Amino acid sequence: MTTRQRTLLMRRRQGACALPRRAPASRQATLGSSVPATVRNLVHARDCYACVCCGESVTGEASVLHFRKPERHGGPATPENLITVLPACADRISAGRDPQDETRGYR
């Protein structure tokens, strides 16, 4: 675990997620537009604007709101069913390459 990941984990546990500076609109991208903006903002804030898998910041990067229970299986677009991940991590989760993902609640 990197120092950045440890710091983010500690901040999450303390509930001290500071809001990051907003990136210019041209650099902001969030994939998964079926999720309302208010829910998307709640999920990003809850996850401290970082990927829950690798801990990297999603500020100014393309990020994915990943459904724990997929929409096609009746998963709702609620904060409890969504996590913030980077596209590479979302691909890994969807492919099922890491058996620990299910244990962690990502799938």
Side-chain angles (χ1 to χ4, degrees):
M1 182 179 281
T2 66
T3 304
R4 170 96 174 126
Q5 289 171 326
R6 279 193 295 271
T7 302
L8 284 171
L9 182 61
M10 189 169 49
R11 288 176 64 202
R12 284 187 192 132
R13 287 182 181 156
Q14 295 171 349
C17 295
L19 295 175
R21 289 184 304 123
R22 296 208 39 101
S26 61
R27 290 184 49 211
Q28 291 178 356
T30 301
L31 307 174
S33 59
S34 66
V35 178
T38 53
V39 173
R40 187 171 46 248
N41 292 337
L42 283 171
V43 173
H44 284 312
R46 181 200 63 208
D47 295 338
C48 296
Y49 298 88
C51 175
V52 297
C53 295
C54 66
E56 293 293 320
S57 174
V58 297
T59 304
E61 301 290 329
S63 62
V64 176
L65 289 179
H66 185 77
F67 284 80
R68 292 175 192 256
K69 180 178 181 181
E71 284 182 294
R72 66 182 177 272
H73 294 147
T78 61
E80 297 80 22
N81 191 42
L82 295 165
I83 55 174
T84 304
V85 293
L86 291 171
C89 293
D91 292 342
R92 190 200 73 214
I93 292 168
S94 296
R97 284 178 261 185
D98 188 353
Q100 292 295 321
D101 286 341
E102 194 164 345
T103 305
R104 294 177 188 130
Y106 301 158
R107 292 191 289 144

